[in-house]
Amino acid sequence: MLYVIYIYLGLLLTSYLFKKFTPIFFPFCEHLDNMNLIGKIPPEICHLSKLTSLSLEKNKLFGTIPHTISKLTNLYWLNLSMNKLTGPIPDQFSSLIRLTYLSLDNNQLEGKLPSNWGQKYKNLRTALLHNNKFVGNVPWQWGTISTLSEYTLLYA
């Protein structure tokens, strides 16, 4: 059975699909931008542990970002922008210490920005977080991320 057919049909992004996709199909990189995917990001995404790059930009994803995404510790590129994701950024995000690019902009994320990123993200160069519903100040610890050269934090 061909499990990649959903890419062409824009079927629902479900836990079933992520259980069937293994690192054999997507060993390092998965870019599913603008594929008209609908649904929640399944917690089973953690089974794609060899991914170094994940981009789900410009889809119709909703719900919270699953905390299991933090098990993708090889990620250096993560783009979940332009969806309808809600809730806070999971605390477990700090385990993604290899990230150099993070784009969560144009969603409906809320809450305070994580303060522990200053200690964890030593490689982060780009953090695009604008057009969300964050509250509070930018944590002073973010000033210790010496590699951060591009960021947008405008609150909606």
Side-chain angles (χ1 to χ4, degrees), residues 24-37:
I24 294 169
F25 289 108
F26 304 117
F28 305 111
C29 178
E30 186 49 43
H31 291 266
L32 296 172
D33 298 337
N34 206 18
M35 297 298 293
N36 214 22
L37 298 174

PDB file of all heavy atoms in Angstrom, residues 24-37:
ATOM      1  N   ILE A  24      12.878   5.167   7.218  1.00  0.00           N
ATOM      2  CA  ILE A  24      13.240   4.635   5.904  1.00  0.00           C
ATOM      3  C   ILE A  24      12.736   5.585   4.810  1.00  0.00           C
ATOM      4  O   ILE A  24      13.424   5.861   3.841  1.00  0.00           O
ATOM      5  CB  ILE A  24      12.632   3.231   5.704  1.00  0.00           C
ATOM      6  CG1 ILE A  24      13.275   2.254   6.678  1.00  0.00           C
ATOM      7  CG2 ILE A  24      12.807   2.754   4.271  1.00  0.00           C
ATOM      8  CD1 ILE A  24      12.588   0.910   6.752  1.00  0.00           C
ATOM      9  N   PHE A  25      11.512   6.102   4.966  1.00  0.00           N
ATOM     10  CA  PHE A  25      10.949   7.004   3.980  1.00  0.00           C
ATOM     11  C   PHE A  25      11.492   8.416   4.116  1.00  0.00           C
ATOM     12  O   PHE A  25      11.728   9.096   3.144  1.00  0.00           O
ATOM     13  CB  PHE A  25       9.414   7.052   4.097  1.00  0.00           C
ATOM     14  CG  PHE A  25       8.755   5.789   3.637  1.00  0.00           C
ATOM     15  CD1 PHE A  25       8.189   4.930   4.553  1.00  0.00           C
ATOM     16  CD2 PHE A  25       8.718   5.455   2.297  1.00  0.00           C
ATOM     17  CE1 PHE A  25       7.576   3.765   4.133  1.00  0.00           C
ATOM     18  CE2 PHE A  25       8.104   4.288   1.868  1.00  0.00           C
ATOM     19  CZ  PHE A  25       7.542   3.441   2.797  1.00  0.00           C
ATOM     20  N   PHE A  26      11.629   8.890   5.327  1.00  0.00           N
ATOM     21  CA  PHE A  26      12.055  10.262   5.583  1.00  0.00           C
ATOM     22  C   PHE A  26      13.253  10.247   6.520  1.00  0.00           C
ATOM     23  O   PHE A  26      13.134  10.554   7.691  1.00  0.00           O
ATOM     24  CB  PHE A  26      10.914  11.066   6.223  1.00  0.00           C
ATOM     25  CG  PHE A  26       9.663  11.055   5.409  1.00  0.00           C
ATOM     26  CD1 PHE A  26       8.512  10.495   5.898  1.00  0.00           C
ATOM     27  CD2 PHE A  26       9.651  11.596   4.137  1.00  0.00           C
ATOM     28  CE1 PHE A  26       7.359  10.486   5.139  1.00  0.00           C
ATOM     29  CE2 PHE A  26       8.507  11.591   3.367  1.00  0.00           C
ATOM     30  CZ  PHE A  26       7.355  11.035   3.874  1.00  0.00           C
ATOM     31  N   PRO A  27      14.406   9.888   6.023  1.00  0.00           N
ATOM     32  CA  PRO A  27      15.539   9.694   6.921  1.00  0.00           C
ATOM     33  C   PRO A  27      16.036  10.960   7.602  1.00  0.00           C
ATOM     34  O   PRO A  27      16.399  10.918   8.753  1.00  0.00           O
ATOM     35  CB  PRO A  27      16.605   9.094   6.011  1.00  0.00           C
ATOM     36  CG  PRO A  27      16.218   9.502   4.634  1.00  0.00           C
ATOM     37  CD  PRO A  27      14.734   9.623   4.641  1.00  0.00           C
ATOM     38  N   PHE A  28      16.057  12.098   6.935  1.00  0.00           N
ATOM     39  CA  PHE A  28      16.676  13.270   7.531  1.00  0.00           C
ATOM     40  C   PHE A  28      15.846  14.534   7.400  1.00  0.00           C
ATOM     41  O   PHE A  28      15.956  15.423   8.216  1.00  0.00           O
ATOM     42  CB  PHE A  28      18.051  13.524   6.905  1.00  0.00           C
ATOM     43  CG  PHE A  28      18.953  12.336   6.988  1.00  0.00           C
ATOM     44  CD1 PHE A  28      19.306  11.643   5.852  1.00  0.00           C
ATOM     45  CD2 PHE A  28      19.408  11.889   8.212  1.00  0.00           C
ATOM     46  CE1 PHE A  28      20.118  10.530   5.932  1.00  0.00           C
ATOM     47  CE2 PHE A  28      20.228  10.778   8.300  1.00  0.00           C
ATOM     48  CZ  PHE A  28      20.581  10.101   7.158  1.00  0.00           C
ATOM     49  N   CYS A  29      15.044  14.645   6.373  1.00  0.00           N
ATOM     50  CA  CYS A  29      14.435  15.916   6.054  1.00  0.00           C
ATOM     51  C   CYS A  29      13.008  15.701   5.575  1.00  0.00           C
ATOM     52  O   CYS A  29      12.754  14.849   4.737  1.00  0.00           O
ATOM     53  CB  CYS A  29      15.269  16.578   4.957  1.00  0.00           C
ATOM     54  SG  CYS A  29      14.634  18.129   4.386  1.00  0.00           S
ATOM     55  N   GLU A  30      12.085  16.473   6.104  1.00  0.00           N
ATOM     56  CA  GLU A  30      10.717  16.400   5.632  1.00  0.00           C
ATOM     57  C   GLU A  30      10.156  17.808   5.501  1.00  0.00           C
ATOM     58  O   GLU A  30      10.055  18.533   6.480  1.00  0.00           O
ATOM     59  CB  GLU A  30       9.839  15.579   6.574  1.00  0.00           C
ATOM     60  CG  GLU A  30       8.454  15.358   6.043  1.00  0.00           C
ATOM     61  CD  GLU A  30       8.432  14.851   4.609  1.00  0.00           C
ATOM     62  OE1 GLU A  30       9.218  13.979   4.244  1.00  0.00           O
ATOM     63  OE2 GLU A  30       7.622  15.363   3.842  1.00  0.00           O
ATOM     64  N   HIS A  31       9.854  18.187   4.288  1.00  0.00           N
ATOM     65  CA  HIS A  31       9.261  19.491   4.008  1.00  0.00           C
ATOM     66  C   HIS A  31       7.901  19.258   3.374  1.00  0.00           C
ATOM     67  O   HIS A  31       7.814  18.790   2.240  1.00  0.00           O
ATOM     68  CB  HIS A  31      10.169  20.319   3.097  1.00  0.00           C
ATOM     69  CG  HIS A  31      11.406  20.738   3.789  1.00  0.00           C
ATOM     70  ND1 HIS A  31      11.523  21.935   4.424  1.00  0.00           N
ATOM     71  CD2 HIS A  31      12.572  20.088   3.995  1.00  0.00           C
ATOM     72  CE1 HIS A  31      12.717  22.026   4.978  1.00  0.00           C
ATOM     73  NE2 HIS A  31      13.364  20.903   4.732  1.00  0.00           N
ATOM     74  N   LEU A  32       6.874  19.555   4.135  1.00  0.00           N
ATOM     75  CA  LEU A  32       5.505  19.397   3.672  1.00  0.00           C
ATOM     76  C   LEU A  32       4.811  20.751   3.689  1.00  0.00           C
ATOM     77  O   LEU A  32       3.681  20.890   4.153  1.00  0.00           O
ATOM     78  CB  LEU A  32       4.763  18.385   4.553  1.00  0.00           C
ATOM     79  CG  LEU A  32       5.307  16.957   4.509  1.00  0.00           C
ATOM     80  CD1 LEU A  32       4.634  16.083   5.557  1.00  0.00           C
ATOM     81  CD2 LEU A  32       5.132  16.358   3.133  1.00  0.00           C
ATOM     82  N   ASP A  33       5.479  21.758   3.173  1.00  0.00           N
ATOM     83  CA  ASP A  33       4.933  23.106   3.130  1.00  0.00           C
ATOM     84  C   ASP A  33       3.792  23.188   2.124  1.00  0.00           C
ATOM     85  O   ASP A  33       3.862  22.610   1.043  1.00  0.00           O
ATOM     86  CB  ASP A  33       6.007  24.117   2.712  1.00  0.00           C
ATOM     87  CG  ASP A  33       7.156  24.179   3.685  1.00  0.00           C
ATOM     88  OD1 ASP A  33       6.974  23.815   4.856  1.00  0.00           O
ATOM     89  OD2 ASP A  33       8.242  24.606   3.270  1.00  0.00           O
ATOM     90  N   ASN A  34       2.777  23.954   2.502  1.00  0.00           N
ATOM     91  CA  ASN A  34       1.688  24.301   1.592  1.00  0.00           C
ATOM     92  C   ASN A  34       1.066  23.063   0.926  1.00  0.00           C
ATOM     93  O   ASN A  34       0.780  23.062  -0.264  1.00  0.00           O
ATOM     94  CB  ASN A  34       2.199  25.277   0.532  1.00  0.00           C
ATOM     95  CG  ASN A  34       1.101  26.148  -0.023  1.00  0.00           C
ATOM     96  OD1 ASN A  34       0.031  26.291   0.572  1.00  0.00           O
ATOM     97  ND2 ASN A  34       1.343  26.724  -1.174  1.00  0.00           N
ATOM     98  N   MET A  35       0.864  22.019   1.715  1.00  0.00           N
ATOM     99  CA  MET A  35       0.317  20.765   1.189  1.00  0.00           C
ATOM    100  C   MET A  35      -1.160  20.596   1.537  1.00  0.00           C
ATOM    101  O   MET A  35      -1.725  19.542   1.297  1.00  0.00           O
ATOM    102  CB  MET A  35       1.102  19.570   1.746  1.00  0.00           C
ATOM    103  CG  MET A  35       2.558  19.538   1.335  1.00  0.00           C
ATOM    104  SD  MET A  35       2.826  19.395  -0.435  1.00  0.00           S
ATOM    105  CE  MET A  35       2.212  17.787  -0.761  1.00  0.00           C
ATOM    106  N   ASN A  36      -1.754  21.619   2.146  1.00  0.00           N
ATOM    107  CA  ASN A  36      -3.171  21.573   2.518  1.00  0.00           C
ATOM    108  C   ASN A  36      -3.458  20.479   3.542  1.00  0.00           C
ATOM    109  O   ASN A  36      -4.534  19.878   3.543  1.00  0.00           O
ATOM    110  CB  ASN A  36      -4.043  21.397   1.275  1.00  0.00           C
ATOM    111  CG  ASN A  36      -5.362  22.118   1.409  1.00  0.00           C
ATOM    112  OD1 ASN A  36      -5.499  23.045   2.193  1.00  0.00           O
ATOM    113  ND2 ASN A  36      -6.350  21.690   0.656  1.00  0.00           N
ATOM    114  N   LEU A  37      -2.468  20.187   4.392  1.00  0.00           N
ATOM    115  CA  LEU A  37      -2.644  19.199   5.444  1.00  0.00           C
ATOM    116  C   LEU A  37      -3.561  19.774   6.519  1.00  0.00           C
ATOM    117  O   LEU A  37      -3.421  20.924   6.911  1.00  0.00           O
ATOM    118  CB  LEU A  37      -1.304  18.806   6.055  1.00  0.00           C
ATOM    119  CG  LEU A  37      -0.311  18.158   5.097  1.00  0.00           C
ATOM    120  CD1 LEU A  37       1.022  17.954   5.784  1.00  0.00           C
ATOM    121  CD2 LEU A  37      -0.850  16.843   4.576  1.00  0.00           C
TER     122      LEU A  37
END
